[in-house]
Amino acid sequence: MADVRRAAAEVFGAGLSRAERFAALLERHGVERGLIGPREVDRLWERHLLNSAVIGERIPPEVEVVDVGSGAGLPGIPLAIARPDLRITLVEPMARRVEWLTEVVDDLDLDVRVLRGRAEEKAVRAEIGTVDVVTARAVAPLARLVGWCLPLLREGGMMLAMKGASARDEVARDADAVTRASGGTPTVSECGAGLVEVPTTVVIVERIRPQASAHGKRRRNTVGVRSKRAG
Ligand SMILES: C[S@@+](CC[C@H](N)C(=O)[O-])C[C@H]1O[C@@H](n2cnc3c(N)ncnc32)[C@H](O)[C@@H]1O
């Protein structure tokens, strides 16, 4: 526990009290609202908050990030707390999860946008345009994920897919799908070494070709969008 506290202080810095508040909200409501399993309550910091926030190691300063399939807010909320320099949008199709995410963003007073919809939907793509980084944790196999996430990236942008032990197998199995989706050669990277007991494995895919068709410029606060940021 002492190590977890030290890591939390290091990873969240000035945002530590917000991270504690997020952990408390998940602990109090996460199970009853179907966001986390009952066994997760005792390992929220290691398996969820820290494990999510450490992927910030691979994200450059002050870029625009979309977290696809945010669910309970992972990795998007810990990332927003640890990295207030990022402009973050959480994309989630399920109404009750969107409600949760909106409540959390309000409660923690985070400058984060919540967008309801599926990443591959035309309206979602039009709303987001293209960004620098897309994150996803536990959303879909790599082949499907690149089809949903890479169209949201500018050329040279990066998808960071948090994967467990399956990372290298998925990269080998889904290489063709990555190429078809305009992705470069995936790399597998470990984040959080020396901070978390089990480093977070991330599959990183760069978008190497521009989009075949433009999705239009980013617009704010249209259908299903909740934002605190000034538009
Ligand atoms: C297993 S949960 C993981 C949630 C969270 N990322 C986490 O690690 O706790 C998968 C989430 O992805 C969302 N999802 C599924 N398909 C999606 C899509 N096409 N676009 C955006 N989100 C999607 C689901 O609604 C669900 O909330």
Side-chain angles (χ1 to χ4, degrees), residues 54-78:
V54 293
I55 70 168
E57 288 173 9
R58 304 286 157 188
I59 303 180
E62 295 177 5
V63 298
E64 183 155 18
V65 179
V66 169
D67 183 29
V68 165
S70 206
L74 301 162
I77 296 283

Side-chain angles (χ1 to χ4, degrees), residues 12 14-15 18 62 78-88 110-111:
F12 291 107
R18 271 188 170 138
E62 295 177 5
L79 208 48
I81 296 172
R83 293 285 306 275
D85 59 302
L86 303 174
R87 285 159 289 141
I88 299 188
L110 288 171
D111 192 9

Side-chain angles (χ1 to χ4, degrees), residues 86-217:
L86 303 174
R87 285 159 289 141
I88 299 188
T89 297
L90 312 177
V91 175
E92 170 56 50
M94 284 185 63
R96 62 190 170 82
R97 293 185 178 167
V98 169
E99 201 177 309
W100 158 263
L101 292 169
T102 305
E103 285 170 29
V104 168
V105 165
D106 273 347
D107 189 297
L108 302 181
D109 196 24
L110 288 171
D111 192 9
V112 164
R113 175 167 73 154
V114 181
L115 176 57
R116 183 173 177 199
R118 302 180 68 84
E120 69 275 27
E121 280 171 7
K122 221 169 151 184
V124 170
R125 288 183 178 176
E127 178 60 35
I128 289 172
T130 54
V131 300
D132 308 291
V133 173
V134 174
T135 60
R137 187 183 94 152
V139 176
L142 188 61
R144 215 176 309 150
L145 211 50
V146 288
W148 295 348
C149 297
L150 266 55
L152 299 175
L153 287 170
R154 63 167 170 81
E155 192 179 352
M158 299 281 183
M159 179 187 82
L160 306 186
M162 293 170 65
K163 294 282 180 185
S166 70
R168 286 177 179 80
D169 289 347
E170 287 198 50
V171 164
R173 185 195 65 200
D174 296 339
D176 289 350
V178 173
T179 305
R180 275 197 306 275
S182 304
T185 305
T187 54
V188 178
S189 175
E190 309 284 335
C191 300
L195 287 167
V196 284
E197 210 172 293
V198 182
T200 304
T201 307
V202 182
V203 174
I204 304 179
V205 180
E206 179 182 353
R207 179 173 185 123
I208 56 169
R209 284 191 299 279
Q211 300 181 109
S213 64
H215 293 301
K217 286 211 164 69

